[in-house]
């Protein structure tokens, strides 16, 4: 789990560049599509809702990647370079949110909090268990 802003910035860069390395539970190296959670509400998308969609999808995406062991560094880089599906967001909005992860510490902290929730089960599991 990412615990500092510096590491969070590296993870954000890795999401776009595919350079971050980590491992976790066993799994195959085959790329898989990671879908974002469905929007919880209907109606007009406020800026807050767009932020929530981005943060939820990114946290889910990073946790899914971190929960796997990659024997092929290329497959791991490909997984980090891939984008999850950001329901109801344009590519320009996603690009702006990714840049904001690097430049806005409070936004990066919000992603960290979302990752704690999304990765909670794996993060709290016993290492012997």
């Amino acid at each position: 789990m990412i615990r500092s802003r510096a590491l969070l910035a590296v993870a954000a860069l890795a999401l776009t560049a595919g350079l971050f390395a980590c491992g976790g539970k066993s799994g195959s190296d085959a790329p898989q599509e990671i879908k974002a959670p469905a929007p919880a509400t209907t109606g007009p998308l406020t800026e807050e809702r767009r932020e929530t969609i981005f943060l939820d999808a990114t946290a889910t995406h990073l946790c899914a990647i971190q929960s796997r062991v990659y024997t092929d560094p290329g497959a791991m880089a490909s997984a980090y370079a891939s984008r999850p599906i950001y329901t109801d967001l344009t590519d320009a909005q996603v690009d702006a949110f990714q840049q904001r992860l690097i430049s806005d510490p409070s936004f990066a902290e919000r992603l960290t909090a979302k990752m704690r929730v999304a990765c909670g089960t794996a993060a709290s599991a016993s290492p012997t268990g």
Side-chain angles (χ1 to χ4, degrees):
M1 193 156 54
I2 299 173
R3 297 190 187 269
S4 73
R5 283 186 217 163
L7 289 176
L8 184 57
V10 171
L13 290 172
L15 182 61
T16 58
L19 299 175
F20 189 80
C22 73
K25 295 180 182 176
S26 63
S28 77
D29 286 346
Q32 64 182 9
E33 184 176 320
I34 301 169
K35 294 186 179 180
T41 61
T42 57
L45 287 176
T46 64
E47 182 62 20
E48 181 179 342
R49 182 68 191 130
R50 284 190 287 273
E51 289 175 0
T52 299
I53 291 169
F54 174 81
L55 293 171
D56 286 346
T58 302
T60 301
H61 177 69
L62 292 173
C63 288
I65 293 168
Q66 291 181 34
S67 70
R68 302 172 59 106
V69 172
Y70 292 87
T71 57
D72 176 15
M76 182 178 56
S78 178
Y80 274 106
S82 68
R83 275 191 177 181
I85 296 171
Y86 293 102
T87 306
D88 297 325
L89 298 182
T90 66
D91 286 342
Q93 290 168 327
V94 171
D95 291 342
F97 285 132
Q98 287 179 330
Q99 182 59 41
R100 195 167 153 201
L101 283 174
I102 298 166
S103 63
D104 182 351
S106 65
F107 192 63
E109 287 293 329
R110 287 178 56 199
L111 177 58
T112 300
K114 294 278 187 179
M115 288 185 68
R116 284 186 188 116
V117 172
C119 301
T121 304
S124 63
S126 168
T128 60

